[in-house]
Amino acid sequence: MRKILHAAAALALATAAVTTVGATGAQADGAWDGCPYGAVCIYGEGAPTSTPPTDVFWSYGAHNLQNKTGWHWVLNNQSGGAHAHLCLGYNGTNCNYDMPAQNGVWADLTPVNSITLERP
């Protein structure tokens, strides 16, 4: 029962305690706060998006995360309606947060173990 409650609490934190933002400050080359156009970026723990991203993902599919705990900005600067998902399991399993293209989220990545980039 304790494991179920812990998992439910982690899921609730990952889904409810997020702040979203849209890409309004894109540069001429399509970069958004240092995140290249067409990529999904994760910034350092507690770091503002004015710092360079620590992780930049270009390819579709699942990407396992390592050493990502605490609160991070995640920006989806993909094109053509591509989505990114934050997933509690490795290899893109148990995804619980869907981020449309040109959106970002301030999220606790402690329970998140992978991120997926999905074609539209």
Side-chain angles (χ1 to χ4, degrees):
M1 184 67 166
R2 180 184 283 176
K3 286 183 180 182
I4 293 172
L5 289 175
H6 181 51
L11 178 62
L13 280 174
T15 57
V18 295
T19 302
T20 59
V21 62
T24 58
Q27 299 170 356
D29 64 358
W32 174 28
D33 285 341
C35 186
Y37 186 69
V40 173
C41 301
I42 299 176
Y43 294 79
E45 181 180 1
T49 57
S50 59
T51 61
T54 56
D55 299 89
V56 178
F57 303 104
W58 292 94
S59 60
Y60 292 120
H63 302 275
N64 291 329
L65 303 180
Q66 295 181 352
N67 302 318
K68 297 294 180 204
T69 59
W71 292 86
H72 298 257
W73 276 107
V74 181
L75 301 184
N76 180 2
N77 200 21
Q78 295 183 94
S79 59
H83 284 237
H85 297 93
L86 300 180
C87 307
L88 298 178
Y90 288 102
N91 301 316
T93 60
N94 198 13
C95 299
N96 66 350
Y97 188 79
D98 177 23
M99 187 180 343
Q102 305 301 305
N103 279 276
V105 64
W106 173 249
D108 181 6
L109 296 185
T110 303
V112 176
N113 287 301
S114 62
I115 188 168
T116 63
L117 281 63
E118 313 263 335
R119 287 184 172 94

